[in-house]
Amino acid sequence: VSSSTAAPDSEPARIFLNVDLGERSYPITIGAGLLSDPALLERHIAGHKVAIVTNTTVAPLYLERVAAPLRAAGRDVLEIVLPDGEQFKNWDSLMTIFDALLEHKCDRKTTMVALGGGVIGDLTGYAAASYMRGVPFVQMPTTLLAQVDSSVGGKTGINHPLGKNMIGAFYQPRAVLADTASLGTLAPRELSAGLAEVIKHGAIIDAAFFDWIEANIGKLMARDPAALAHAISRSCEIKAEVVRQDEREGGLRAILNFGHTFGHAIEAGMGYGAWLHGEAVGCGMVMAADLSHRLGLVDAATVARMRALVGAAGLPTVAPDLGTERWLELMEVDKKNEGGAIKFILMKPLGSPNITSAPREQLLATLAACVG
Ligand code: NAD
Ligand code: MG
């Protein structure tokens, strides 16, 4: 991962990163107002046709400012506006996209643009991976979660009625353009959910970044542009470096699931949608910190810091009471477990990952301590 910051007099500061994946390498640009900079997007569009996929919430806010300049420049722009929601990250939406592309006679040089949160990004990426066996696509993430997590790394896909994200492909975008100004319209709960993944990156990779998040959580919650830009860029750097080392999740990439074993159990146990993913991960990180301490991997102060930071990010810190047996059952079905004992991603110490199984006694103690 290489990075640089440029701040010409006429423009606000922008941060440029590069995801190093050989011939699949791509740039990430982060800054305020990128959605209103057509030249930036134009650079990554090779053919005449552009298909912008977005949803009914994002379209009225941002679609025109992306589409209009492309049209004015003579491009043939197709707008595909899907209904909003995780329940639409499915086969029907994928077919809606393919129908529109085929009716519009989109060829293999068509560039697809994902304008929205992680749902739009995952769906559009998978459509781009499979339409005519692969067309170029650009990620324009508009949620904090998508800017710090889902738009980077090339995991694309849809949900199946029998499981989340069960159908998909690894397919890297040509570029990621993260406009921090678009976060101004995000619901507070969605902002907090994105912060969970930011905190995660500090907890498993970079203790100094965790310190920085602690010191700046007030600014982040207030959507201070400079603070958000730093949180996004450091998160992208960390995720890009993990992905560079393990693009297809052969091993290392699993550390990005810190807090997720507990979190997935909460999401499933409460019924998908009741807790946002980031809320469940926030609480899951408190539980993972608690378990890390019980196994002697971190001190008690680290657990207290994690609980305080997750709370300050507007995320829940007390786990729901699903019943002990149900809790264990839900953690065992987590798809990241390949037979045998549950493998937890823990910290040893703060800022470093440690993958381990946990004795039943300590696990039960963590559940007892964290469930409200
Ligand atoms: P989302 O895409 O559902 O967006 C959350 C809500 O915010 C939606 O209602 C959306 O319409 C709205 N929204 C988006 N941008 C907005 C803006 N600028 N202003 C106002 N509202 C806006 O949810 P998400 O949290 O962005 O993404 C979650 C999805 O990402 C899940 O499907 C998850 O599986 C996936 N994901 C993928 C990866 C990956 O590596 N590919 C990683 C993490 C999560
Ligand atoms: Mg996650």
Side-chain angles (χ1 to χ4, degrees):
V1 185
S2 53
S3 65
S4 59
T5 307
D9 295 341
S10 55
E11 283 178 21
R14 284 185 181 174
I15 300 167
F16 303 99
L17 309 174
N18 188 53
V19 184
D20 299 324
L21 293 168
E23 61 184 13
R24 291 182 305 288
S25 295
Y26 56 94
I28 302 173
T29 308
I30 299 155
L34 303 192
L35 291 179
S36 310
D37 182 349
L40 194 58
L41 177 58
E42 284 268 0
R43 224 170 284 164
H44 304 287
I45 297 174
H48 179 60
K49 288 185 177 163
V50 184
I52 305 174
V53 183
T54 186
N55 71 23
T56 49
T57 301
V58 177
L61 295 169
Y62 303 111
L63 179 55
E64 265 323 286
R65 74 178 71 170
V66 177
L70 293 174
R71 264 195 201 103
R75 307 265 186 189
D76 182 1
V77 181
L78 171 62
E79 299 175 355
I80 304 171
V81 182
L82 300 168
D84 182 8
E86 178 77 33
Q87 71 272 33
F88 299 107
K89 193 174 125 180
N90 64 8
W91 190 256
D92 285 349
S93 296
L94 194 64
M95 287 305 139
T96 301
I97 295 173
F98 293 147
D99 290 351
L101 293 171
L102 287 165
E103 280 163 14
H104 205 72
K105 301 193 170 18
C106 289
D107 59 13
R108 299 180 64 181
K109 284 194 192 130
T110 302
T111 299
M112 297 186 69
V113 175
L115 176 67
V119 168
I120 288 296
D122 281 15
L123 192 50
T124 307
Y126 187 47
S130 34
Y131 185 68
M132 302 209 166
R133 301 190 184 85
V135 295
F137 94 107
V138 175
Q139 290 270 19
M140 298 187 101
T142 62
T143 65
L144 183 60
L145 184 127
Q147 295 186 356
V148 302
D149 190 352
S150 63
S151 69
V152 174
K155 279 192 186 178
T156 72
I158 59 170
N159 301 323
H160 185 279
L162 296 180
K164 254 177 78 65
N165 295 324
M166 283 295 137
I167 315 294
F170 287 98
Y171 194 66
Q172 302 293 345
R174 292 300 172 93
V176 179
L177 307 177
D179 184 347
T180 52
S182 70
L183 303 180
T185 51
L186 206 56
R189 267 184 88 187
E190 301 289 352
L191 184 83
S192 292
L195 287 173
E197 305 286 1
V198 175
I199 295 168
K200 176 190 81 178
H201 290 132
I204 50 160
I205 295 285
D206 184 351
F209 183 45
F210 190 92
D211 295 346
W212 180 90
I213 303 165
E214 269 181 329
N216 291 278
I217 191 64
K219 284 186 183 172
L220 291 167
M221 290 293 280
R223 306 184 198 210
D224 175 81
L228 283 173
H230 180 69
I232 295 162
S233 66
R234 188 67 193 114
S235 283
C236 288
E237 280 176 343
I238 289 169
K239 182 162 183 192
E241 178 55 22
V242 172
V243 170
R244 186 188 66 75
Q245 292 178 50
D246 180 21
E247 187 178 1
R248 298 176 76 95
E249 195 155 353
L252 179 72
R253 192 164 174 166
I255 65 172
L256 297 173
N257 284 321
F258 176 70
H260 283 58
T261 299
F262 292 109
H264 288 153
I266 294 173
E267 285 184 274
M270 297 303 285
Y272 280 101
W275 286 46
L276 294 178
H277 173 73
E279 292 173 337
V281 169
C283 186
M285 291 191 295
V286 174
M287 301 177 82
D290 182 278
L291 185 58
S292 300
H293 176 52
R294 284 176 205 280
L295 298 181
L297 308 176
V298 302
D299 56 16
T302 298
V303 187
R305 287 176 67 188
M306 179 64 81
R307 186 172 280 115
L309 182 54
V310 167
L315 297 161
T317 58
V318 177
D321 186 0
L322 307 170
T324 304
E325 282 317 306
R326 182 84 179 119
W327 256 106
L328 295 174
E329 189 183 298
L330 286 165
M331 288 191 290
E332 275 153 15
V333 302
D334 190 46
K335 74 168 189 274
K336 302 296 185 308
N337 306 310
E338 289 142 22
I342 307 169
K343 283 276 191 289
F344 289 95
I345 319 294
L346 300 177
M347 298 179 290
K348 181 193 181 182
L350 178 70
S352 297
N354 186 269
I355 304 182
T356 182
S357 55
R360 192 179 162 89
E361 187 191 335
Q362 273 86 2
L363 183 54
L364 292 180
T366 286
L367 289 177
C370 296
V371 165

